[in-house]
Amino acid sequence: MIGEIAHFLSIASVMILTLVLIINIIFSFSPGHSNQLILSYRLFNQACFLIFLSFGVYIYLAITDDFSISYIANHSNSQLPIFYKITSIWSAHEGSMFLWIVFLTLWSILFVNYLSFEHPLKKGTMLMLTLIILGFLLFLLVTSNPFERILPFGVIEGADINPVLQDPALAIHPPLLYLGYVGFVISFSFITAYLFSGNLSYPWEKDIKNWSFVAWIFLTVGITLGSWWAYYELGWGGYWFWDPVENVALMPWLAATAFMHSLFASSKSNVLKAWTLFLGILIFALSLFGAFIVRSGIIDSVHSFANDPQRGLYLLGFSGFITFISLGIFAYRLPSMQSSKLIVTGSKESFLSMNNILMLTAIFSIFLGVTYPLILESLNGEKVSIGSPYYNTIFSPLILLTSIFIMISVEALWQRGMQAKTLFFAVAPTFLLAALALYLIWYFVEIFSLLAYVGIYSGLLIIISYFLKAALTIKNKSYLNKGSFVAHLGLGLLFFSVSMNSILSYQKNINLFPGDQQFINESIEEFNFLDLQNIKASNHDIVLAKILILQNGKSIYLNPEKRKYFARGQITSETAIHATPLKDTYLTIGDQLENGSWTFSLQINYFVKWIWFSSALMVLGILMTIFKKKIR
């Protein structure tokens, strides 16, 4: 009965949102009508409240092990801790879509209530938000109903959550990622309302600036947590694999990063307005494309949720519909947005616009890499895969050009050009110091990789240019945008650490019997397989290996595990990691061979912690920008 109450609450919200949509459409072409706005505003709030209430009841059903609900029976278990019973809700398609809608509703109700009744774009924004929430809620209830019952009596015990997902990082990663994904519905809806209103002189940037920054933070943290989880949990030692689903998360991030920079230019000097509006629409359109890729089943990925063409067609049709509305209005208003102010050559805006072009090139390259195999397969049935060589080859020159423009823009001014001589003397020290640092790295490392060295040099250009800028600021006691300094320092560190990791890290496959030892190299003098231990846990059996590694004269004890879970019979590997500031000693236990020996994968991963730290710096920089106090 409680499940039916939750189901009814969602249906009731559909009915109320439909009423809100009808009211807003009827009066959208008629100015005034304050009573209509008050009515639709109150109905919108009530519909959102019913969605929250429905999800709250659904959480209660998961906690109380209501295995008559098909979704809960298939993805939960009575032996799970309450924390994982709750997180099991977003472990598969139906529940994760429900969470997506809850966050979409949360962003919407917060922003609608943030706008005053006198705000000229409140009505249009609420109309667009209502349409989007209604479309996804109908998708949930019609094609992916999480309230479906197992009739007549349900089951006694649930099938359990996937063991790989029983991890705190992955429990937190999807909600944060979704908050970032759907957070850009605010800029999307507000921009659409702004274009529809026709009042192109309205300073719209100030209303969505911080909202967009917060959404970017959630998206960045969500992506970082996902890569961190993949690193220590999946056992292959990677933090990014150019997987199609990972790529569709990267595309909105790139568009959002370009959008934030364009917002600064648009709000400061009233240029790049068309760019900014287009990017604001593109971010959410790419988020919708990502939802289609993940939930349609048209690609094979460890991250995919569903394999149902009906769902994919609905998502593709609905996403295309609302994107077409926004882009259509944008195209209609574009001739009216031609600014009389031209971008000054050599100004900060000129370098921002160049980086916007590079960002769009990167997005298009990823989009092509994701869709080309699908198009080719649909045409002739041939299956191809596009992997890291394609992406690395394209991204290396793009990253280098982006870094050069960022470095130059540090010295550039808003709407004021720079003479060639001034520009040369401003950037020459950075080029020379970065080249010297790169030579020293090559001298001590004695490993050369063109693509990796391009990435290292790109990171050095950004890091050195901002440190030189900070030094000059302290010397001259001038103003420094601390948020921009920290965020760009994080970006440079990201390029540097990923590239250093690619050339310094190495892997060794080992095959030993318990009690045996093996010499690896000059760094790892001994790999000792001390013992093997069988342990019985509450819901799984553990095979634990005791390993002693002598590394540079120091003893390191590692205990990688192999687990077999009772409910699903699934076998997983748990990595053992010895972390230092510079490198990780990363060990995974493999299978037992026919002769009784065991296989191990030993990896030495350099600068991995610096990758997570660089993301934290970028997030900190944006937070400082939101809450900054200008200090001269």
Side-chain angles (χ1 to χ4, degrees):
M1 182 63 184
I2 297 178
E4 278 67 36
I5 293 175
H7 194 181
F8 173 77
L9 290 172
S10 292
I11 294 173
S13 65
V14 167
M15 298 170 65
I16 296 175
L17 286 171
T18 304
L19 183 59
V20 173
L21 193 65
I22 292 171
I23 293 173
N24 276 283
I25 290 175
I26 291 175
F27 292 97
S28 60
F29 297 99
S30 305
H33 297 285
S34 59
N35 291 334
Q36 166 266 324
L37 181 59
I38 294 172
L39 175 61
S40 60
Y41 165 74
R42 290 178 177 175
L43 288 173
F44 180 82
N45 281 340
Q46 289 172 4
C48 293
F49 174 73
L50 291 180
I51 293 173
F52 296 144
L53 189 58
S54 176
F55 189 72
V57 174
Y58 201 76
I59 292 175
Y60 173 79
L61 294 172
I63 292 174
T64 56
D65 301 322
D66 190 340
F67 297 132
S68 66
I69 302 292
S70 177
Y71 180 84
I72 296 174
N74 289 328
H75 301 97
S76 186
N77 188 279
S78 61
Q79 302 303 313
L80 284 174
I82 290 179
F83 177 75
Y84 289 123
K85 288 181 181 180
I86 295 173
T87 61
S88 69
I89 293 175
W90 52 84
S91 66
H93 168 68
E94 291 84 354
S96 67
M97 195 70 241
F98 200 179
L99 183 69
W100 169 288
I101 292 168
V102 168
F103 286 153
L104 182 65
T105 306
L106 178 63
W107 279 104
S108 301
I109 194 172
L110 288 175
F111 189 69
V112 166
N113 284 273
Y114 161 79
L115 297 176
S116 65
F117 268 101
E118 295 76 24
H119 198 287
L121 302 180
K122 186 182 182 78
K123 186 193 300 183
T125 303
M126 188 163 58
L127 171 62
M128 199 64 189
L129 290 171
T130 302
L131 176 63
I132 295 171
I133 296 173
L134 180 61
F136 276 106
L137 197 54
L138 285 172
F139 168 73
L140 179 76
L141 296 176
V142 174
T143 71
S144 315
N145 191 355
F147 306 103
E148 184 178 319
R149 288 279 190 184
I150 300 176
L151 299 175
F153 302 114
V155 295
I156 298 175
E157 184 59 277
D160 202 6
I161 188 176
N162 188 330
V164 175
L165 305 182
Q166 295 182 32
D167 183 86
L170 198 69
I172 302 169
H173 154 63
L176 291 175
L177 192 65
Y178 292 172
L179 278 169
Y181 263 144
V182 303
F184 288 101
V185 72
I186 301 302
S187 57
F188 180 85
S189 301
F190 194 78
I191 286 171
T192 304
Y194 164 77
L195 292 170
F196 183 80
S197 70
N199 181 15
L200 301 183
S201 61
Y202 180 79
W204 59 275
E205 297 92 346
K206 61 183 176 62
D207 290 319
I208 61 169
K209 198 172 187 178
N210 287 342
W211 292 84
S212 301
F213 287 174
V214 173
W216 184 92
I217 288 172
F218 279 121
L219 186 58
T220 304
V221 173
I223 291 174
T224 303
L225 270 178
S227 64
W228 178 50
W229 169 82
Y231 173 70
Y232 76 80
E233 177 65 27
L234 295 183
W236 49 273
Y239 45 84
W240 197 267
F241 203 55
W242 292 114
D243 179 89
V245 174
E246 293 172 339
N247 291 342
V248 297
L250 182 60
M251 286 191 291
W253 187 87
L254 291 171
T257 304
F259 175 67
M260 290 195 305
H261 286 84
S262 289
L263 268 177
F264 278 109
S266 182
S267 58
K268 278 184 174 291
S269 49
N270 200 29
V271 296
L272 299 179
K273 177 173 285 190
W275 260 112
T276 311
L277 292 167
F278 173 73
L279 288 169
I281 295 171
L282 181 64
I283 303 168
F284 193 64
L286 289 172
S287 297
L288 296 176
F289 174 73
F292 163 70
I293 288 291
V294 173
R295 299 174 187 279
S296 63
I298 64 173
I299 60 170
D300 294 323
S301 168
V302 68
H303 305 286
S304 295
F305 276 121
N307 187 13
D308 188 341
Q310 180 186 1
R311 294 171 178 172
L313 285 174
Y314 182 101
L315 277 175
L316 185 62
F318 178 67
S319 302
F321 172 67
I322 61 174
T323 303
F324 176 78
I325 291 175
S326 292
L327 289 178
I329 300 173
F330 173 78
Y332 177 75
R333 298 293 186 192
L334 186 59
S336 305
M337 287 187 290
Q338 301 302 322
S339 175
S340 59
K341 294 182 69 175
L342 298 177
I343 297 176
V344 177
T345 302
S347 66
K348 195 179 288 286
E349 291 90 341
S350 67
F351 298 116
L352 283 176
S353 62
M354 292 303 298
N355 271 338
N356 280 346
I357 294 172
L358 293 174
M359 289 280 192
L360 284 181
T361 304
I363 291 168
F364 176 76
S365 301
I366 297 173
F367 185 84
L368 187 64
V370 172
T371 56
Y372 175 75
L374 304 176
I375 296 171
L376 191 64
E377 185 179 356
S378 66
L379 292 177
N380 58 17
E382 181 182 353
K383 287 191 175 184
V384 297
S385 61
I386 294 180
S388 55
Y390 163 79
Y391 293 107
N392 292 339
T393 304
I394 288 179
F395 267 73
S396 290
L398 291 177
I399 286 172
L400 178 59
L401 290 173
T402 300
S403 301
I404 291 173
F405 288 132
I406 290 174
M407 175 196 64
I408 298 174
S409 68
V410 172
E411 300 297 333
L413 301 173
W414 295 104
Q415 279 299 81
R416 290 171 62 185
M418 295 178 65
Q419 293 182 353
K421 184 179 179 180
T422 306
L423 178 62
F424 173 79
F425 283 108
V427 301
T430 301
F431 274 118
L432 293 174
L433 288 173
L436 176 61
L438 188 66
Y439 170 77
L440 292 174
I441 290 171
W442 171 79
Y443 179 80
F444 287 105
V445 170
E446 297 181 345
I447 301 172
F448 181 78
S449 168
L450 178 60
L451 296 181
Y453 273 59
V454 168
I456 294 170
Y457 190 66
S458 302
L460 289 172
L461 286 177
I462 298 175
I463 293 170
I464 293 172
S465 63
Y466 271 91
F467 271 121
L468 290 177
K469 176 68 173 177
L472 287 174
T473 299
I474 294 172
K475 179 184 176 182
N476 300 329
K477 297 181 180 179
S478 56
Y479 168 70
L480 175 68
N481 188 330
K482 295 181 180 179
S484 175
F485 171 78
V486 173
H488 286 97
L489 196 64
L491 180 64
L493 185 60
L494 177 65
F495 294 161
F496 177 83
S497 53
V498 168
S499 303
M500 290 293 289
N501 172 267
S502 68
I503 61 171
L504 293 178
S505 301
Y506 61 90
Q507 179 178 353
K508 176 75 173 180
N509 293 321
I510 302 168
N511 180 16
L512 287 177
F513 291 92
D516 285 354
Q517 63 184 41
Q518 181 177 330
F519 172 81
I520 305 298
N521 55 29
E522 293 79 7
S523 174
I524 301 177
E525 296 91 357
E526 283 187 14
F527 184 96
N528 295 282
F529 187 2
L530 300 177
D531 193 14
L532 201 68
Q533 186 177 356
N534 293 313
I535 302 172
K536 190 173 287 293
S538 59
N539 64 339
H540 60 274
D541 289 328
I542 301 174
V543 176
L544 182 144
K546 296 184 177 181
I547 306 296
L548 168 63
I549 295 176
L550 295 179
Q551 189 175 36
N552 297 323
K554 296 182 179 179
S555 297
I556 299 173
Y557 290 91
L558 296 173
N559 302 116
E561 298 178 6
K562 201 88 171 173
R563 295 181 180 179
K564 183 176 181 179
Y565 287 81
F566 303 145
R568 290 176 176 257
Q570 187 170 343
I571 298 175
T572 64
S573 295
E574 298 295 318
T575 58
I577 303 174
H578 175 74
T580 64
L582 188 62
K583 65 182 179 181
D584 285 0
T585 303
Y586 184 102
L587 183 63
T588 307
I589 185 171
D591 298 322
Q592 186 178 25
L593 303 180
E594 292 182 358
N595 62 2
S597 64
W598 287 83
T599 60
F600 297 90
S601 175
L602 175 66
Q603 300 178 51
I604 306 300
N605 295 325
Y606 284 83
F607 288 91
V608 170
K609 295 293 185 294
W610 292 35
I611 296 172
W612 322 136
F613 180 62
S614 67
S615 298
L617 281 179
M618 288 190 284
V619 169
L620 176 61
I622 298 302
L623 285 172
M624 292 171 67
T625 301
I626 295 174
F627 300 106
K628 71 178 178 181
K629 294 180 180 179
K630 293 186 178 180
I631 302 175
R632 292 187 179 274

